[in-house]
Amino acid sequence: MKILVVDDTDAVLLLISRFVEALGHTAIQARNGVEAVEAWRGQRPDLVLMDMMMPVMSGPEAAAMIKAEAGALWVPIVFVTGVGEENRLAEAIEQGADDYINKPVNFRVLEAKLKAFSRTLDLNRQVVEQSTKLADYYDRAEEEKRVARHLIDQMVNAERLSDPGLEYWLSPAESLSGDLIAAARTPGQVLHVLLADGIGHGLTAALNVLPLTQPFYSMTEKGYSISDILAEMNNKIRQVLPVGRFVAVTLLALDEANDCVEIWNGGMPALQIVDLQGCLLKSVPSSNLPLGIIPSHSMDFAPVRHYFDQAGLLVACSDGLIEANGPEGGAFGIERVLEAIGNNLCGNRIESVKESLSEFLQGHSHHDDVSLVLMSFGVDAKPAERAGTESPAIEPGFTMPSLRALDLCKWRYSLTLGADELRYINTVPFMMTFVNEVKSLTHSQSDVFLILTELFVNAVDHGLLGLDSKLKQTAAGMEEYLQERAVRLAGLTEGRIEIDLAGLDYGGSELLQIRVKDSGAGFDWSGWSRAEAGQTTFAHGRGILLLRALCVGVQFVGNGSEVLAFYRPSRNRQPHVNAAD
Amino acid sequence: MTPTVQIEGSTGRVILSGQFDFSAHREFRQVCESLIANADVREVLVDFQNVNYLDSSALGMLLLLKEKIGSANKTLALVNCRDAVKQVLEIACFGKIFTIR
C-alpha cells in the first residue's frame, strides 16, 4: 500500500514512516494538514495515518477535505491520537475518519490494523470494479434496447396504423414488446391488420415477431390475399427462428367494397365481433396452430369470413390483456373488455378499456405484453360506390374509336397462363410487381390493381369456370360461390388467359391499355350497356360500375371473351379511397 | 417447480407441478434428456396433473421436446391436462400436433 504519514513532530513522522516501510509499504510524508491534502492530491495514497493536532491545518480538517475530494473512492483515514483528545476524535470519526490508534504507537497493533485495512481495501476495490462493470453492462443494454426499439419502430411503420376505422393499444411488459400490431391497405383498398404475439416478452420476443413485418407490408402492397401472406410469414418464421419458437397470429382483411371481413386466427384468443349496440354477433376462436411450427403445406390458411349488413366492431387482443392478473387473483377476461367497450361505444373505446384494466389491476403492472385492436366496419361509404359516382364513363375527348386507333406503344407486358398455372400463380399481385416499377403508373397503383383484378377475376370466374354471379347476392351465396370457385379451379384442366398491358402515347400523355382475353365461350355483352344506366345494384354489378368509373373507355370484343380497358394514369398521389378523407 | 420422473416398463412419465413457464426450462430439459437417453423408454408422457398455469414459453419447450423425441424414435403424449392447461393448449391448437390424453 501507499501510505500517507502526517505528523508535525519529525521524530514521530520518521519513526512511523520507517515502520510502515519495514512492513513493505511505501510511505509518503507530510508535516501538517495542508501538506497532507496536497500529498493526497498529488500521489493518491491508499491509506492515511494522521496526527490530530497540527499547525496550519488540523488532522480532522484535512481528513474532511480529503474525504470530500475522494468522493466515491474510499481512502481509509486512521488518526494517531494522544491522551485527552477523545472528544475531538469522536467528532472526527463521525465526520468520516475510519479508525484511530493511540500514542505511543504500539507497532504490533498498527501492523494488524494495516493488514485489516488492506483486506477491506481489496474487497472495496472488487466491489467498485464490479459495480462499474455492472453500470457498463447496464448502459450497453440500454443502448442496445434503444437501437432495437428504433429499428423495430421503423420496421413496424406506426404511421400506417393511423388508419381511420382502426384503433389500437400496445403496452409492453418490458421496454420492448413481443406483441406486434401492423396495418396496411392493398392497392384495392382492402385493409389488412396483423396482430402477433411472440413467445415471452422483451427483446427476444420482439425479435421473434420482426420477420413478419416484411412479408406483411410488401405482399399487402402488391395486393396478395391474407392466405398467401400467412403462408409466406409461416415460411419466414420457420426459416429464421430456432425450433420451439413460434408466433401466435391474427390476420384480418376488411373489404368494405364487398361487406366482408376475413379473419384468420392461429393461437390468439378468440376474436369478438360486436354490433354498435355492443351485442356479440360472432366469436372467432383460434382454429389453427401458431405460425412457425409446421410447414405451410400442412397448414390451412383459409380465413373465416364474416359478411356484414350493419356497422360493427371487431375486437382482437393478445392473451396479455385477458390474462392480466388482478391483485385479488383471477384474470381480467374478455367479458370485461367487451363491457368496457360497450359502456363507451361512441367515445374513446380504447381509453375505456385502459381505465377498466388499471382499475382491475389496482396499480399493479401487467406481466405480459398487452395489445388490443378495434376495427370498425360498415361505417364508411363503400369505395366502389363512391368511385361509381365520380366521373363519367368516357371522358370528353376520349372516344372508343379514337382509343382503339392508337397503335404506338411505348412498352408492352404480356402474359399468358394455362390451366395449370392459373391454379397456383397469384396473377394480379404478380403483375403488380411489374406495375410498381413503371414510373408513369406510380400514383395509379390502386386503380390499376382494381381494374386488373376485376378484369382477371371476370375472365377466370365467368369465362373459364362458368360461375354465375347471381349467387353473390347474399352472404351465404357468397360463401357458396367462393367454395364452388375453389372446387372448379382445382378441377380446371384446360383453358388459358392472356393479359396484356401496354403504355400508349395519346397526344403526348401516356395511356394504359389493359387487354384480357380468355379461352371461354364469351357472353352476350349487348345487355352490358344497360348496367351503365345504374340498373344493376347487385354485388356483381359493382365491378362493372367500378370499371367504367376508373377507365376512360371499356369495350368487349368479339364474342365477349376479350375486353379492352383504357386508363389514364393519375399524375398526383392518390388519396386512400375512403369516405373519411 | 421440480419435475419428477417415474419409469414403468417402457413408459417414462415426467410429472410437472405448479407453474410451468420459462423458470422450469433447465430442470425440464435435464429430466427429458435423461428419458430420451434411456434406451428402455419408448414412450414419454408429460403429466400436467399438478400444473395450474402454462405460458407460451412452456409451449415452446414442448415443441422442442417433441422434436427431440421424434428424432429418438420415441412417442410423446401430454396427459392429465386440467382446465387452465387444456385451455392454453386449445387456443394454440396443439391437439393438431400432440397426442393429448
Side-chain angles (χ1 to χ4, degrees):
Chain A
M1 286 193 291
K2 204 196 278 184
I3 298 176
L4 174 59
V5 183
V6 193
D7 205 302
D8 58 333
T9 314
D10 282 349
V12 178
L13 181 64
L14 200 68
L15 185 70
I16 298 179
S17 300
R18 288 289 171 270
F19 180 74
V20 161
E21 281 164 359
L23 290 173
H25 304 294
T26 310
I28 304 162
Q29 299 183 353
R31 283 177 174 76
N32 59 52
V34 172
E35 278 186 37
V37 172
E38 273 164 17
W40 141 256
R41 286 179 185 148
Q43 306 191 51
R44 301 273 151 171
D46 298 307
L47 185 145
V48 183
L49 275 174
M50 186 149 59
D51 190 12
M52 302 232 339
M53 301 289 281
M54 288 183 293
V56 189
M57 185 190 275
S58 74
E61 279 174 278
M65 281 182 76
I66 291 173
K67 284 284 183 187
E69 285 183 26
L73 180 74
W74 182 54
V75 190
I77 295 179
V78 179
F79 281 119
V80 184
T81 62
V83 180
E85 292 179 322
E86 283 81 5
N87 276 340
R88 294 208 58 202
L89 178 69
E91 256 170 55
I93 289 180
E94 266 170 8
Q95 281 163 21
D98 297 275
D99 202 355
Y100 70 97
I101 186 162
N102 285 320
K103 274 182 192 171
V105 175
N106 177 326
F107 289 110
R108 184 68 194 86
V109 173
L110 180 60
E111 183 184 2
K113 286 203 174 181
L114 288 181
K115 273 189 188 154
F117 274 110
S118 172
R119 284 195 300 267
T120 316
L121 269 170
D122 279 349
L123 204 65
N124 182 264
R125 266 188 212 116
Q126 276 176 23
V127 171
V128 168
E129 215 169 274
Q130 280 166 359
S131 72
T132 314
K133 228 187 232 173
L134 205 61
D136 275 354
Y137 276 131
Y138 180 78
D139 288 348
R140 218 161 358 163
E142 284 301 302
E143 174 61 11
E144 280 174 358
K145 261 192 247 170
R146 190 188 65 79
V147 173
R149 211 162 21 220
H150 176 82
L151 185 79
I152 289 164
D153 286 349
Q154 288 304 305
M155 295 181 81
V156 165
N157 204 336
E159 202 180 290
R160 291 202 227 180
L161 279 170
S162 59
D163 200 289
L166 192 66
E167 296 155 78
Y168 70 99
W169 176 39
L170 193 62
S171 171
E174 291 172 24
S175 66
L176 286 164
S177 174
D179 284 4
L180 170 82
I181 303 175
R185 283 185 184 260
T186 68
Q189 296 308 321
V190 174
L191 175 63
H192 285 180
V193 179
L194 171 71
L195 177 60
D197 182 359
I199 291 186
H201 25 87
L203 181 60
T204 44
L207 285 178
N208 286 344
V209 294
L210 267 193
L212 300 179
T213 56
Q214 196 263 337
F216 176 77
Y217 288 119
S218 75
M219 292 180 77
T220 298
E221 198 165 273
K222 293 190 183 106
Y224 279 94
S225 69
I226 58 171
S227 307
D228 292 327
I229 297 174
L230 285 163
E232 184 56 30
M233 294 199 294
N234 190 55
N235 290 342
K236 197 86 177 190
I237 295 175
R238 282 176 58 78
Q239 201 183 330
V240 301
L241 295 186
V243 175
R245 288 275 162 180
F246 58 84
V247 181
V249 162
T250 284
L251 191 53
L252 309 169
L254 170 63
D255 184 355
E256 289 275 4
N258 289 306
D259 298 331
C260 177
V261 197
E262 292 185 332
I263 301 156
W264 191 88
N265 182 354
M268 293 292 274
L271 285 99
Q272 314 293 332
I273 301 175
V274 296
D275 64 15
L276 289 187
Q277 281 70 52
C279 297
L280 187 67
L281 296 178
K282 193 188 237 176
S283 174
V284 184
S286 158
S287 56
N288 301 283
L289 283 164
L291 298 184
I293 297 175
I294 58 173
S296 291
H297 60 77
S298 311
M299 295 281 288
D300 179 6
F301 292 124
V304 173
R305 290 192 182 82
H306 173 70
Y307 294 93
F308 49 86
D309 48 16
Q310 55 170 329
L313 190 68
L314 198 148
V315 182
C317 61
S318 66
D319 56 2
L321 177 60
I322 56 180
E323 284 174 14
N325 276 316
E328 282 144 33
F332 188 57
I334 190 70
E335 293 76 18
R336 283 195 181 80
V337 177
L338 293 179
E339 192 188 310
I341 292 170
N343 287 342
N344 192 14
L345 266 173
C346 302
N348 190 334
R349 297 170 286 213
I350 293 278
E351 207 51 50
S352 112
V353 176
K354 277 188 198 173
E355 276 166 22
S356 171
L357 179 67
S358 80
E359 199 177 298
F360 179 75
L361 294 178
Q362 293 172 24
H364 292 72
S365 56
H366 47 83
H367 62 287
D368 195 0
D369 301 322
V370 162
S371 53
L372 171 68
V373 171
L374 303 180
M375 186 167 87
S376 313
F377 56 79
V379 185
D380 304 329
K382 292 170 186 69
E385 286 175 358
R386 198 185 86 131
T389 60
E390 257 177 3
S391 53
I394 293 187
E395 288 187 18
F398 293 102
T399 60
M400 250 1 250
S402 72
L403 288 170
R404 295 204 59 186
L406 294 172
D407 54 357
L408 266 178
C409 102
K410 301 208 275 188
W411 55 266
R412 181 179 294 279
Y413 177 40
S414 301
L415 188 71
T416 302
L417 297 168
D420 287 343
E421 290 70 34
L422 285 168
R423 269 203 297 276
Y424 67 89
I425 293 181
N426 216 317
T427 315
V428 176
F430 171 75
M431 294 188 79
M432 286 309 289
T433 314
F434 171 78
V435 171
N436 280 337
E437 300 292 322
V438 178
K439 284 218 173 66
S440 58
L441 298 177
T442 306
H443 301 308
S444 309
Q445 301 290 324
S446 175
D447 287 353
V448 175
F449 177 84
L450 288 170
I451 299 168
L452 260 179
T453 305
E454 192 54 40
L455 294 178
F456 178 77
V457 169
N458 270 341
V460 175
D461 288 16
H462 309 312
L464 296 187
L465 303 178
L467 290 160
D468 187 349
S469 1
K470 285 202 192 72
L471 261 184
K472 289 199 270 186
Q473 287 167 28
T474 64
M478 190 72 197
E479 198 66 38
E480 194 186 325
Y481 180 91
L482 290 171
Q483 273 172 17
E484 185 60 26
R485 182 183 196 274
V487 169
R488 292 198 194 179
L489 188 60
L492 188 70
T493 50
E494 50 189 47
R496 56 197 268 134
I497 285 183
E498 293 167 29
I499 309 173
D500 204 74
L501 304 182
L504 304 183
D505 183 33
Y506 188 82
S509 62
E510 189 159 311
L511 205 61
L512 175 70
Q513 177 194 266
I514 304 174
R515 186 183 72 94
V516 178
K517 184 177 192 305
D518 64 70
S519 61
F523 76 110
D524 176 16
W525 48 274
S526 58
W528 188 70
S529 55
R530 279 201 295 278
E532 194 187 326
Q535 289 171 1
T536 315
T537 51
F538 305 131
H540 65 280
R542 275 189 211 139
I544 288 166
L545 289 174
L546 178 72
L547 275 182
R548 299 195 71 90
L550 290 174
C551 299
V552 294
V554 182
Q555 186 163 45
F556 286 96
V557 181
N559 65 2
S561 64
E562 182 175 354
V563 60
L564 276 172
F566 295 88
Y567 171 76
R568 191 166 57 161
S570 162
R571 287 177 186 281
N572 306 315
R573 206 180 146 69
Q574 285 184 334
H576 275 179
V577 181
N578 200 306
D581 50 32
Chain B
M1 84 147 221
T2 313
T4 54
V5 173
Q6 283 175 3
I7 299 179
E8 285 169 32
S10 65
T11 300
R13 186 183 288 262
V14 181
I15 302 165
L16 306 170
S17 60
Q19 298 213 345
F20 184 30
D21 56 21
F22 195 75
S23 61
H25 179 76
R26 186 178 310 205
E27 283 135 329
F28 181 70
R29 197 188 52 198
Q30 280 168 354
V31 163
C32 292
E33 273 169 7
S34 73
L35 284 178
I36 291 167
N38 187 336
D40 295 336
V41 173
R42 302 311 312 158
E43 183 186 37
V44 175
L45 304 179
V46 181
D47 192 326
F48 288 91
Q49 179 72 57
N50 302 316
V51 175
N52 49 33
Y53 175 76
L54 189 71
D55 76 351
S56 60
S57 49
L59 297 180
M61 289 186 256
L62 292 176
L63 285 173
L64 269 174
L65 174 65
K66 179 177 182 288
E67 179 98 352
K68 284 185 191 153
I69 297 248
S71 41
N73 281 320
K74 299 178 193 223
T75 55
L76 172 68
L78 313 181
V79 299
N80 294 330
C81 307
R82 297 194 311 185
D83 291 349
V85 172
K86 197 180 251 171
Q87 200 185 339
V88 174
L89 292 174
E90 264 168 19
I91 289 179
C93 292
F94 266 32
K96 293 189 179 190
I97 48 173
F98 283 95
T99 308
I100 299 177
R101 294 202 292 258

